[in-house]
Amino acid sequence: MESFIQYLKSFTPLYADQIDALTALLTLEKLQPNEYLLEVGMYCNKIAFIQQGVFRIYFYNNEGEEITRYFLAENQFVVDLNAFNNQVVSSEYIQSVTDSEVVILSRTAFDQMSTIIPEWDKVIKAITEKALMEKLFNRSNMVGQSAKSKYLDFLTTHPKLANRIPLGHLASYLGIKQQSLSRIRKEIVLP
Amino acid sequence: MESFIQYLKSFTPLYADQIDALTALLTLEKLQPNEYLLEVGMYCNKIAFIQQGVFRIYFYNNEGEEITRYFLAENQFVVDLNAFNNQVVSSEYIQSVTDSEVVILSRTAFDQMSTIIPEWDKVIKAITEKALMEKLFNRSNMVGQSAKSKYLDFLTTHPKLANRIPLGHLASYLGIKQQSLSRIRKEIVLP
DNA sequence: CAATCCATTTCACATTTGTTAAAAACGACT
DNA sequence: AGTCGTTTTTAACAAATGTGAAATGGATTG
């Protein structure tokens, strides 16, 4: 719970009794590699905050290929926002890539957050918009880029992530074949 | 002003006095093709709602190429959200592609909206999140797609837009060269 | 009408990426 | 160490896209 509290403190001060209330309200969950936080067709009634680990969000396209939409790691929320907000079934998988530990905010807990933290609505709005805008920015910058620049961009944008995820997943996120990514890595190391 | 009012009514009912207050608060602006609503380096102190016309948001990448980030048309808000929210200078151009007409919400008008429309904060949050998620979804679906599928997707996602914008802008949005787009269009029409 | 400007198309060739298949490397487990 | 299963690399060839330059087309203007 500690790193979630720290994260919240970067947005708004928290007193001891608020922290106690949060600790009572929220739960911890540990996942092993390849376990799912959410699967296609399920309703999404919780938001998770990643204290430890890496997650990937993916789905299957028309050709049956796994497409990784993005990765999320420590100090980020993970949720199917559309499924959670509109109470429709999820259209994507949320899978733990590594051993991981998350703080779970059930829907009822989420709705109670503003009673504990008065500025909760503002905080969550800022976090949501910032996260969406960053993802949109990253994605839109990738369109039309060469495989090599997409890979290099990923390395600079997520320097600690590349060696925590299988290459196949990364290739799928970059929109290239794993063989191409392998070829590119070879080119980059040597010269 | 009429179509903006109609748009708002799809979110929340509006009485005549509210509509009068809105009409007094907001202003209309007309732009010719290639005129700018916002330029790189400017502060963004207004939000525009497109009643008529098409806009494109673009910037220059490291190689000096124009990259079109997206298009916006009737019944959509257009703004550099980061520049507006965080009061930093804009990093992109917002340009009218066609003759166009927008409703301007100055920052002060925007801040007064919740006094006229009690649910304004909720409405604007829903609109913002939905718009960001749609753009993110579109963009992330484009990564790794072939030029042809990106073009066909665009035609189905924005059926009325393709013939309102120059091909060069569309190619830049799709992340391909104009010559490639031309080649693809030729392939598609014939068989 | 000719002249001009700009958007679009076309073409030949270069480069990048996908495809298919196989080999190599790695890890977990016995 | 040996085996199984998975991930990663390699290679040869095919297909898609970029590049650079030129031709075409349409609209506008003198």
Side-chain angles (χ1 to χ4, degrees):
Chain A
M1 199 69 62
E2 179 57 26
S3 71
F4 181 51
I5 304 289
Q6 283 306 319
Y7 176 79
L8 286 183
K9 279 185 176 170
S10 74
F11 292 94
T12 183
L14 289 181
Y15 296 100
D17 56 337
Q18 289 174 295
I19 294 174
D20 292 345
L22 287 175
T23 311
L25 188 63
L26 307 175
T27 59
L28 277 183
E29 194 171 310
K30 298 195 181 198
L31 293 98
Q32 297 185 335
N34 302 322
E35 275 195 274
Y36 291 96
L37 207 54
L38 184 69
E39 296 187 54
V40 167
M42 291 172 51
Y43 286 93
C44 177
N45 288 308
K46 60 189 180 191
I47 291 180
F49 177 86
I50 307 175
Q51 298 210 121
Q52 192 55 235
V54 178
F55 287 80
R56 71 173 181 132
I57 283 72
Y58 74 92
F59 68 101
Y60 291 93
N61 70 3
N62 298 332
E63 285 81 40
E65 299 165 316
E66 265 183 22
I67 308 291
T68 298
R69 216 182 261 293
Y70 40 89
F71 297 101
L72 295 167
E74 284 82 5
N75 295 314
Q76 296 193 281
F77 284 98
V78 53
V79 62
D80 180 333
L81 202 57
N82 183 48
F84 184 83
N85 279 344
N86 305 320
Q87 311 241 22
V88 297
V89 297
S90 172
S91 56
E92 55 195 24
Y93 295 89
I94 302 182
Q95 186 187 42
S96 178
V97 175
T98 63
D99 280 301
S100 59
E101 183 182 292
V102 295
V103 177
I104 298 289
L105 293 79
S106 69
R107 186 182 295 277
T108 51
F110 184 83
D111 292 340
Q112 285 179 260
M113 288 297 281
S114 54
T115 66
I116 300 177
I117 302 175
E119 278 140 351
W120 175 250
D121 284 348
K122 276 191 184 170
V123 169
I124 204 69
K125 175 173 187 272
I127 292 172
T128 306
E129 276 187 18
K130 181 151 177 284
L132 284 174
M133 285 174 68
E134 275 176 7
K135 286 183 185 62
L136 175 57
F137 186 78
N138 284 337
R139 270 321 204 178
S140 106
N141 279 350
M142 289 172 68
V143 176
Q145 289 284 94
S146 74
K148 189 188 288 189
S149 7
K150 285 189 282 189
Y151 177 60
L152 290 175
D153 271 13
F154 184 86
L155 290 184
T156 57
T157 316
H158 310 281
K160 295 170 188 160
L161 221 48
N163 41 13
R164 300 175 75 186
I165 50 187
L167 274 200
H169 294 168
L170 178 51
S172 134
Y173 172 72
L174 298 176
I176 61 181
K177 296 295 163 214
Q178 177 167 339
Q179 294 91 318
S180 301
L181 180 52
S182 202
R183 173 163 45 197
I184 286 161
R185 280 156 55 95
K186 189 180 167 189
E187 283 176 34
I188 292 172
V189 173
L190 295 178
Chain B
M1 200 69 63
E2 179 57 25
S3 71
F4 180 52
I5 304 289
Q6 283 306 318
Y7 177 81
L8 287 183
K9 279 185 176 171
S10 74
F11 292 94
T12 183
L14 289 180
Y15 295 100
D17 56 339
Q18 290 175 294
I19 295 175
D20 292 344
L22 287 175
T23 310
L25 188 63
L26 306 176
T27 59
L28 275 183
E29 194 171 311
K30 298 195 180 199
L31 292 97
Q32 295 184 336
N34 303 322
E35 275 194 274
Y36 290 95
L37 207 53
L38 184 69
E39 297 186 55
V40 167
M42 291 171 51
Y43 287 93
C44 177
N45 288 307
K46 59 189 181 193
I47 291 180
F49 177 86
I50 306 174
Q51 297 210 121
Q52 191 55 234
V54 179
F55 287 81
R56 71 171 180 132
I57 284 71
Y58 75 91
F59 68 102
Y60 291 93
N61 71 4
N62 299 332
E63 285 81 39
E65 299 164 316
E66 263 183 24
I67 307 291
T68 298
R69 217 182 260 296
Y70 39 89
F71 298 101
L72 294 167
E74 284 82 7
N75 294 314
Q76 297 193 280
F77 285 99
V78 54
V79 62
D80 180 335
L81 202 56
N82 182 48
F84 184 83
N85 279 343
N86 305 320
Q87 311 240 23
V88 297
V89 296
S90 172
S91 56
E92 54 195 24
Y93 295 89
I94 302 181
Q95 186 187 43
S96 179
V97 176
T98 64
D99 280 300
S100 58
E101 182 182 294
V102 296
V103 177
I104 298 289
L105 292 80
S106 69
R107 186 182 293 278
T108 52
F110 185 82
D111 292 340
Q112 286 179 259
M113 287 297 281
S114 54
T115 66
I116 300 177
I117 303 175
E119 278 139 352
W120 177 250
D121 284 348
K122 276 191 184 171
V123 169
I124 204 68
K125 175 173 188 271
I127 292 172
T128 307
E129 276 187 16
K130 180 150 177 285
L132 284 174
M133 285 174 68
E134 276 177 7
K135 286 183 186 62
L136 175 56
F137 186 80
N138 284 337
R139 271 322 205 176
S140 106
N141 279 349
M142 290 172 69
V143 177
Q145 289 284 96
S146 74
K148 190 189 286 187
S149 3
K150 285 189 283 189
Y151 177 60
L152 291 175
D153 269 16
F154 184 86
L155 290 185
T156 57
T157 315
H158 311 280
K160 294 169 189 161
L161 222 47
N163 41 13
R164 300 176 75 186
I165 51 188
L167 275 201
H169 295 168
L170 179 51
S172 134
Y173 172 73
L174 298 176
I176 61 181
K177 297 294 162 215
Q178 178 166 339
Q179 294 93 314
S180 300
L181 180 53
S182 202
R183 174 163 45 195
I184 286 161
R185 279 156 55 96
K186 189 180 168 192
E187 283 175 33
I188 291 172
V189 174
L190 294 178

